[in-house]
Amino acid sequence: MGQDQTKQQIEKGLQLYQSNQTEKALQVWTKVLEKSSDLMGRFRVLGCLVTAHSEMGRYKEMLKFAVVQIDTARELEDADFLLESYLNLARSNEKLCEFHKTISYCKTCLGLPGTRAGAQLGGQVSLSMGNAFLGLSVFQKALESFEKALRYAHNNDDAMLECRVCCSLGSFYAQVKDYEKALFFPCKAAELVNNYGKGWSLKYRAMSQYHMAVAYRLLGRLGSAMECCEESMKIALQHGDRPLQALCLLCFADIHRSRGDLETAFPRYDSAMSIMTEIGNRLGQVQALLGVAKCWVARKALDKALDAIERAQDLAEEVGNKEARSQRGQDIFPRSISKTGKWLRPEPTCTDFVLIPHWRSPLLRAPAEPAQAALSEREHLPQQRAAAGTAGARCEVPRVRGGDGALLRPVRRVHRREEQPAAGPTLLPHLPPQVPAEQRDPELSQLPPLIHEAWLC
C-alpha cells in the first residue's frame, strides 16, 4: 500500500470515528497496519489506534499498540516520533494504574534531546506525570506537574490542554478536601469548552461535567451534582466511552448514598465495579469498594464493611495509592468531633471504636481529670486492659493528633458477653491538655489541632 493510499485510508478511518462508527474505523486502521509498508503511515495509524482504544477503555490493547509504535519510531530514527510514542506508552500505563512506570516513561520523554514536538507535547507529558503522582497520593509533586502543564498550555495558547489540566486539578483538590477549588477548576474547564470547544470532541464537555458533579456532591449540592452527572453520562453513552460511564455510575452511587437511598446506591456501585474490573481501572475499583463499605456501615453490617475495606486495601497496595489505604478505619467508620468539643462514637452490638492516647503520649503519664472519670483506667492503658482480661484487638490505622498535640489512635474494643453496651451514640469528653507546655515534647507542641470530619467523602 503506497503513501497516498495509506493517507486516504487513515482519513477515512478518522471520518468514521468522528461519526461514532468506532468499530468500522478500527477495521479500516487495522487493515492499513497489516498491508502498509510505509513507516510514517504505520506510525500515524498506530497513534489513532492508541487513542481509540483509550477512549473505549481497552487499555491492554492500547498498551500493545503503544509498544509497537515505539518500535516503529526507532526504525524511523526520529526524536519527535520517539517522544510521541513514549508519551502514549506512559498514558497506557497510567490508565492501567501502573503509576511508577508512567512516571518513568514521562521522565524518559523529558530527558530526550530537544525536539520540535517538545514544546507541544511537554505539557501533555507533565499532565500525565501529574496524574500518576496523584494516583500515588504524592500531592506536592502532582501539583507541581499540573502547574507546569498549565504553563505549557498558557504559553502555547492550548485551550484543550488547559481544559484537561483543569479537570485533573479538580480531582486533585477533591482528594485534598479543598472542595471550593475542586468545583472552581472544572467550572473553568466547562467555560473553556463553551468559549473554544465548538470543534472539539464532546468528551471534553463530558469530562468537565463529571468533575463538576463530583465537587457538587462533596459540597452537599446533590441536585446540581445529579444534573451534571446525567449530562456527562448521556455523552458517554453516545460515544461508547466505557471509562467515563463507570465514573458516572460511581458518582450516581455516591449521590444516592449521600441522600440515604442505599437500595439505589448498591446496584450503581456494582455496575461501576463491573466496568472498572473489565477495563482494568484498579483505582476506580478501590473507590467503588469504599463506597460499598460506607453503605454497609450505614446498615450496621460491620463485618461486610470490613470485608469491602480489606479488598480495597489490597487493591490500593497494588497500585501504591496511599490516600485510599489511609481511609481504612478513618473515613469509613463514623467518628467526628461535635461542636461541643466531644468525641461522638456509635456503640453497635459488639464492637466500638474509641480514641485513646497513644502509648508514647505524655497524656499517659498525667493525672486523670474529673472529665475523664467516665473512662476507666483500663480503657486508657492497653496493658491494664489485657491484664483485666478484656477481649479486643487494635486496628492498624494512621495516627491522628489531639488539640493538645498528643498523638491519638483508634482502638477496636469487643465487649465481653456479660457487658451490655449502651444503645445509640455516646458522647465521650475530648481529652484536655494534661502536661505543662514546658514538659512536652517540642516536636509534638508544634502539631496542629485535630480536625477530622466523618462522612464527607
Side-chain angles (χ1 to χ4, degrees):
M1 186 180 290
Q3 292 183 3
D4 294 338
Q5 190 175 359
T6 299
K7 185 177 180 180
Q8 291 175 3
Q9 290 297 309
I10 293 174
E11 295 297 332
K12 179 182 177 180
L14 286 172
Q15 292 174 3
L16 290 169
Y17 185 73
Q18 291 171 359
S19 60
N20 291 331
Q21 302 181 56
T22 306
E23 293 298 334
K24 291 183 178 179
L26 292 176
Q27 291 175 7
V28 171
W29 288 332
T30 303
K31 288 181 180 179
V32 172
L33 193 62
E34 292 174 352
K35 297 180 179 180
S36 177
S37 58
D38 176 29
L39 290 177
M40 289 280 292
R42 286 174 61 83
F43 182 87
R44 187 180 176 194
V45 78
L46 283 166
C48 293
L49 287 167
V50 166
T51 302
H53 283 95
S54 173
E55 294 185 1
M56 295 172 69
R58 301 175 182 175
Y59 298 143
K60 293 182 180 179
E61 296 294 318
M62 176 187 179
L63 178 61
K64 181 183 73 174
F65 288 117
V67 172
V68 177
Q69 192 182 41
I70 283 185
D71 295 334
T72 306
R74 286 172 176 164
E75 291 183 34
L76 287 168
E77 297 181 349
D78 189 295
D80 289 324
F81 293 145
L82 195 60
L83 172 60
E84 183 178 344
S85 59
Y86 269 111
L87 174 58
N88 284 332
L89 188 59
R91 286 173 174 169
S92 303
N93 282 280
E94 175 196 332
K95 301 297 184 182
L96 289 168
C97 298
E98 297 287 351
F99 298 124
H100 291 290
K101 292 182 180 179
T102 301
I103 294 170
S104 176
Y105 289 127
C106 286
K107 289 180 178 179
T108 300
C109 292
L110 298 175
L112 291 173
T115 60
R116 297 186 303 276
Q120 299 176 348
L121 298 181
Q124 298 184 36
V125 173
S126 297
L127 174 60
S128 186
M129 182 178 286
N131 290 333
F133 279 127
L134 184 59
L136 295 172
S137 303
V138 185
F139 296 121
Q140 183 61 40
K141 291 185 178 180
L143 184 59
E144 292 172 0
S145 297
F146 290 144
E147 290 176 345
K148 187 175 181 180
L150 206 56
R151 286 196 295 271
Y152 271 101
H154 290 162
N155 294 337
N156 295 284
D157 294 325
D158 191 341
M160 294 175 73
L161 175 60
E162 184 177 356
C163 179
R164 292 171 58 194
V165 175
C166 285
C167 289
S168 291
L169 282 169
S171 180
F172 170 84
Y173 282 109
Q175 288 197 33
V176 299
K177 302 185 185 304
D178 189 342
Y179 301 138
E180 294 295 337
K181 290 183 180 178
L183 177 61
F184 169 80
F185 283 102
C187 288
K188 177 63 176 178
E191 182 182 347
L192 290 169
V193 172
N194 292 332
N195 294 339
Y196 305 101
K198 292 182 179 180
W200 297 2
S201 170
L202 285 175
K203 71 175 184 180
Y204 288 94
R205 179 172 182 80
M207 187 168 51
S208 62
Q209 291 296 315
Y210 161 72
H211 286 284
M212 287 171 63
V214 172
Y216 277 132
R217 186 195 70 82
L218 293 170
L219 288 168
R221 299 165 62 178
L222 302 182
S224 299
M226 184 64 76
E227 291 178 7
C228 292
C229 198
E230 285 175 349
E231 184 172 354
S232 180
M233 187 62 160
K234 181 179 178 180
I235 298 173
L237 291 171
Q238 180 182 347
H239 287 263
D241 191 335
R242 297 283 285 169
L244 185 55
Q245 290 174 28
L247 292 174
C248 288
L249 284 168
L250 179 59
C251 187
F252 280 134
D254 288 336
I255 293 171
H256 289 302
R257 177 175 56 78
S258 298
R259 288 176 170 173
D261 187 0
L262 303 183
E263 293 295 333
T264 308
F266 272 115
R268 302 295 185 277
Y269 281 125
D270 291 341
S271 299
M273 187 71 180
S274 177
I275 297 177
M276 288 173 176
T277 303
E278 173 192 332
I279 65 180
N281 185 352
R282 289 175 289 172
L283 195 54
Q285 295 175 49
V286 170
Q287 295 170 350
L289 286 169
L290 291 176
V292 169
K294 293 173 185 179
C295 289
W296 285 125
V297 169
R299 286 190 170 185
K300 311 298 183 184
L302 299 186
D303 290 339
K304 293 182 178 180
L306 284 172
D307 180 64
I309 295 170
E310 288 172 358
R311 291 167 58 194
Q313 175 85 357
D314 294 339
L315 286 170
E317 288 177 351
E318 286 182 14
V319 302
N321 182 273
K322 300 174 184 177
E323 177 69 12
R325 289 165 60 187
S326 69
Q327 288 192 34
R328 179 177 179 177
Q330 280 195 24
D331 294 337
I332 302 301
F333 293 95
R335 184 175 66 243
S336 61
I337 299 178
S338 68
K339 293 182 180 180
T340 60
K342 298 179 179 180
W343 286 106
L344 177 64
R345 62 170 171 85
E347 288 191 294
T349 304
C350 64
T351 309
D352 59 18
F353 289 80
V354 185
L355 281 175
I356 69 174
H358 187 261
W359 67 276
R360 290 182 179 175
S361 172
L363 289 173
L364 293 178
R365 298 184 295 272
E369 293 272 329
Q372 295 176 285
L375 296 178
S376 64
E377 185 71 20
R378 64 191 182 97
E379 284 180 322
H380 282 291
L381 298 178
Q383 298 87 350
Q384 294 183 13
R385 291 176 66 232
T390 303
R394 300 180 186 178
C395 288
E396 295 297 331
V397 298
R399 300 173 184 174
V400 291
R401 311 181 193 282
D404 59 338
L407 291 175
L408 304 176
R409 59 177 171 79
V411 172
R412 181 182 180 189
R413 176 162 55 84
V414 180
H415 293 282
R416 294 183 297 175
R417 290 185 178 180
E418 61 270 18
E419 293 180 349
Q420 296 296 329
T426 304
L427 286 176
L428 296 183
H430 179 56
L431 299 177
Q434 304 279 336
V435 180
E438 61 272 11
Q439 299 180 16
R440 294 184 191 171
D441 190 318
E443 182 179 358
L444 295 179
S445 64
Q446 301 300 321
L447 297 176
L450 171 65
I451 302 176
H452 186 88
E453 300 177 359
W455 299 101
L456 281 181
C457 295

